[in-house]
């Protein structure tokens, strides 16, 4: 068996995927109707809309089988997102990449697989629309085109969701997208007994940048700050622009000491940016940290409010 490699833009791809707030959510008719149509059109037992997470493939829609997820290591879709077009395996039992794959040698006994990558913004292959059968198959050119057309429909649905949870200016999560993701992360932290830290950032002197250099410079400052945040933290961290000049970062599994160390590293990156970039302004920020200890319960609004108040106190003292 050959396990799939990671795409070159894996970190950015995963951040884009998670910004959709779609993983581990309920089934939706918008995706189910596409997999029902694919199953009927190609006369196959199973069709799925699959999202490829860091260590699993998760099925947003699965028509024809009671599947929710499998390991990415054994996934066909992990291979499919490396392709620039349809990825077709006519007989997996005869393919050296898959012949001893547990999904081939055991349930669901895949022989034929065809998947088309679901691409967002012409850059990020978030998953696939795929079909598979327990018997070997081939596809003619018309069938391949039909499968691609259905994948484009699924892409449009993903884009609509993405646009609703992404800040248009900075292209990171907006408040709505963050709330969806953070609520799920908070639940997982409680279940697994791990700490949960949230940092509330405020971009200092943002009004001065707008007043002195114009609104375009202000927009650029926000984009610069968002870019630095996106480059500074772990791929598992959640970050968002939640207000005009306000940003948040959520560190799941990190206590306060580690979180403050991460903020210090971020400060160093901002300092380097200010030194190297030819901007008419200097980026600076105030930050407030609130850590929810392992085992303690609190709703997300309360955590945001506590981190916000600590940020405000830090701003007043600076």
């Amino acid at each position: 068996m050959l396990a799939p490699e990671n795409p070159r833009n894996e970190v950015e791809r995963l951040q884009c995927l998670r910004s959709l707030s779609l993983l581990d959510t309920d089934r939706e008719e918008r995706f189910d109707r596409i997999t029902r149509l694919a199953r009927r059109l190609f006369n196959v037992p199973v069709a799925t809309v699959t999202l490829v997470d860091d260590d699993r493939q998760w099925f947003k829609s699965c028509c024809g089988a009671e599947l929710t997820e499998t390991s990415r290591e054994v996934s066909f879709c992990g291979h499919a997102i490396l392709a620039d077009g349809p990825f077709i395996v006519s007989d997996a039992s005869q393919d050296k990449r898959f012949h001893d794959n547990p999904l081939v040698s055991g349930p669901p006994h895949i022989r034929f697989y065809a998947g088309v990558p679901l691409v967002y913004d012409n850059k990020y292959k978030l998953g696939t629309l795929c079909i598979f059968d327990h018997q070997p198959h081939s596809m003619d050119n018309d069938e391949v085109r039909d499968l691609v057309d259905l994948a484009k429909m699924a892409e449009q649905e993903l884009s609509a969701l993405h646009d609703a949870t992404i800040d248009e200016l900075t292209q990171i999560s907006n408040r709505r997208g963050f709330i969806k993701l953070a609520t799920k992360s908070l639940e997982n932290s409680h279940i697994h007994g791990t700490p949960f830290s949230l940092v509330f950032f405020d971009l200092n002197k943002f009004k001065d940048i707008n007043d002195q250099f114009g609104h375009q410079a202000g927009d650029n400052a926000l984009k610069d700050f968002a870019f630095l945040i996106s480059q500074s933290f772990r791929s598992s961290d959640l970050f968002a622009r939640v207000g005009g000049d306000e940003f948040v970062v959520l560190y799941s599994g990190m206590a306060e000491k580690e979180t403050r160390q991460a903020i210090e590293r971020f400060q160093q990156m901002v300092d380097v940016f200010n030194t190297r970039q030819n901007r008419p302004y200097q980026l600076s920020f105030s930050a407030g940290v609130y850590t929810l200890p392992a085992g303690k319960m609190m709703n997300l609004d309360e955590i945001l409010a506590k981190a916000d108040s600590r940020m405000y106190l830090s701003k007043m003292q600076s």
Side-chain angles (χ1 to χ4, degrees):
M1 185 189 80
L2 182 64
E5 298 178 356
N6 287 340
R8 291 181 180 178
N9 63 348
E10 178 70 354
V11 172
E12 296 83 0
R13 188 191 73 82
L14 287 174
Q15 180 60 39
C16 181
L17 172 61
R18 288 163 184 163
S19 72
L20 289 171
S21 306
L22 200 56
L23 291 168
D24 299 308
T25 58
D26 294 334
R27 294 177 61 168
E28 294 182 58
E29 176 61 22
R30 65 170 80 195
F31 296 106
D32 287 347
R33 64 173 174 256
I34 295 172
T35 53
R36 286 198 304 268
L37 179 57
R39 187 183 179 208
R40 257 195 329 267
L41 183 61
F42 299 104
N43 192 28
V44 293
V46 182
T48 74
V49 170
T50 305
L51 301 176
V52 181
D53 200 1
D54 57 347
D55 60 355
R56 61 173 176 159
Q57 61 173 357
W58 179 79
F59 305 114
K60 176 58 179 173
S61 176
C62 182
C63 183
E66 295 298 322
L67 297 173
T68 55
E69 64 180 60
T70 71
S71 164
R72 182 172 177 177
E73 184 179 16
V74 302
S75 70
F76 284 66
C77 296
H79 290 272
I81 64 169
L82 301 174
D84 291 327
F87 180 78
I88 300 172
V89 179
S90 296
D91 187 350
S93 68
Q94 302 301 311
D95 191 307
K96 64 181 181 180
R97 296 168 296 183
F98 304 108
H99 68 93
D100 55 350
N101 186 301
L103 300 181
V104 176
S105 58
H109 298 288
I110 297 174
R111 291 295 179 271
F112 165 76
Y113 170 93
V116 178
L118 303 179
V119 184
Y120 176 77
D121 197 27
N122 295 318
K123 291 186 292 187
Y124 304 120
K125 297 170 185 174
L126 304 183
T128 68
L129 171 68
C130 75
I131 56 176
F132 63 85
D133 199 348
H134 312 306
Q135 304 296 327
H137 266 272
S138 60
M139 297 182 77
D140 61 32
N141 290 337
D142 288 340
E143 289 174 321
V144 172
R145 280 194 293 268
D146 288 340
L147 186 61
V148 170
D149 287 343
L150 288 179
K152 292 298 181 185
M153 292 170 58
E155 282 181 4
Q156 291 169 3
E157 297 295 351
L158 289 175
S159 294
L161 284 168
H162 189 271
D163 292 342
T165 57
I166 289 294
D167 177 60
E168 184 177 357
L169 177 66
T170 62
Q171 290 299 296
I172 65 174
S173 289
N174 59 20
R175 188 180 189 92
R176 177 182 178 186
F178 177 79
I179 293 296
K180 286 186 175 182
L181 286 169
T183 299
K184 185 67 176 178
S185 184
L186 182 59
E187 291 173 359
N188 289 338
S189 291
H190 180 68
I191 290 170
H192 297 293
T194 56
F196 177 105
S197 292
L198 188 140
V199 184
F200 208 106
F201 290 101
D202 185 84
L203 190 58
N204 292 336
K205 300 181 180 179
F206 178 65
K207 184 177 184 300
D208 292 345
I209 295 174
N210 272 326
D211 291 345
Q212 293 180 34
F213 306 109
H215 290 290
Q216 184 61 56
D219 286 351
N220 289 338
L222 293 170
K223 289 190 285 188
D224 288 338
F225 196 71
F227 172 77
L228 290 170
I229 286 178
S230 69
Q231 297 298 305
S232 299
F233 301 109
R234 305 171 302 178
S235 62
S236 58
D237 298 329
L238 306 179
F239 50 86
R241 180 188 178 200
V242 294
D245 56 357
E246 297 173 336
F247 297 78
V248 292
V249 180
L250 182 153
Y251 305 90
S252 184
M254 282 178 61
E256 183 169 347
K257 181 179 178 180
E258 297 172 290
T259 302
R260 292 194 179 279
Q261 290 171 345
I263 296 172
E264 290 175 4
R265 291 192 295 270
F266 178 56
Q267 178 66 70
Q268 293 169 4
M269 178 171 280
V270 171
D271 291 342
V272 170
F273 175 88
N274 284 331
T275 300
R276 293 180 176 177
Q277 299 299 318
N278 184 26
R279 297 286 196 270
Y281 49 79
Q282 295 282 290
L283 292 178
S284 66
F285 62 86
S286 299
V289 180
Y290 183 77
T291 298
L292 187 69
K296 184 176 180 180
M297 283 291 289
M298 185 180 293
N299 68 50
L300 187 59
D301 287 339
E302 290 178 290
I303 296 171
L304 282 165
K306 287 183 177 294
D308 186 16
S309 65
R310 293 183 180 187
M311 180 278 296
Y312 185 76
L313 181 61
S314 173
K315 197 177 188 71
M316 293 299 99
Q317 293 173 344
S318 62

